[in-house]
Amino acid sequence: MKKMYKTFIIAIITLFFSQYVFSNEPEKITNESTEFPAISLDNKNLIIFTKEKYSTPDIINTPFDYRIAISLFKKDVDKKIPIDLMPYWGGPGKIEDAFIHDFQNQSVLFVIFKANSPENAGVPYSSDCYFVFAYNKTSKGVFLSNEKLFNYFGIGADVTDIPLTNEAIDNNLTIDLPINAYTYPYKTKEAIIATLSSNLFMQWMNNNVIKATILRKTKLQEEPNYYDETKRYLIEGDKVSVKDITAGWLAIEYQNAKKGIIKGWIMCKDTDVCK
């Protein structure tokens, strides 16, 4: 199961950080934004979301032949400048939201992209898969990918706690099912903006040393956005060092008196830095 999940993550990361090249086929210049409402920057410039022709490999049986392209459209010269192509994962996906937000004296374009979660990843996903892309507006007016922001908000889908869900079903409990062990936290504009002003985010942006205290028994996972019935866990009061952050998960190190340094991933909500 873990091997399948790692393969899935590697495939996605490879797809995202490959160099995107828009189709060379002749295309009529247009400012029509068909995949999400255009974002007006001023009276001469728009961010538009359009279909870009895409040929899938022959081994894929799919009715879709496009990906979603993000472009800067300059109305005064009828010029479309590519910003990015959204990943193709079993389909073209959907722009859930897109907005400009001023952050650290710079305008940043945030795009929340949603795609179907893979059915063969070996993980009990209970939601679509979400991605948060971020692009800094440069002094020349073009938008460039901000990989540090992308890594922080990360990629994620809700993951079901199968034993707990099955227990609820067996006992006829009247609760919302399935029960999630992990819920991807950045599905909305409001959640992203709130995070940008959080203490944890600012410490991470400033490359500060981050320490955290465990609030409750929490299982150590080998990968983020994954939930396994592992025997490794931390308990309330344990002190950890945070080494990385993505999608609401913390890569931590814990100094164990007998076993030395223990490493793993835990959900941020189980620590005092995300309460």
Side-chain angles (χ1 to χ4, degrees), residues 7 29 34 38 54 60 65 87 105 131 163 172 184 188-189 211 221 226 232 234 241 256 261 273:
T7 301
I29 298 297
T34 59
Y54 172 64
I60 300 177
D65 63 351
N105 299 317
F131 317 76
N172 296 315
Y184 181 71
T188 66
K189 172 182 177 179
K211 303 289 185 179
Q221 304 294 337
Y226 183 83
R232 299 197 311 151
L234 299 174
S241 298
N256 183 281
I261 296 178
V273 295

Side-chain angles (χ1 to χ4, degrees), residues 22 27 30-36 48-52 66-71 80 85:
F22 278 35
E27 182 181 1
T30 176
N31 64 354
E32 183 179 358
S33 187
T34 59
E35 304 309 296
F36 191 81
I48 61 175
F49 306 85
T50 59
K51 292 180 179 179
E52 182 69 25
Y66 70 92
R67 293 164 71 178
I68 298 176
I70 306 174
S71 307
K80 190 164 67 172
L85 280 175

Side-chain angles (χ1 to χ4, degrees), residues 6-37:
K6 291 178 181 178
T7 301
F8 162 60
I9 291 297
I10 290 171
I12 286 184
I13 292 174
T14 301
L15 179 62
F16 291 158
F17 292 104
S18 62
Q19 183 165 355
Y20 294 123
V21 179
F22 278 35
S23 171
N24 290 323
E25 296 183 7
E27 182 181 1
K28 180 181 178 182
I29 298 297
T30 176
N31 64 354
E32 183 179 358
S33 187
T34 59
E35 304 309 296
F36 191 81

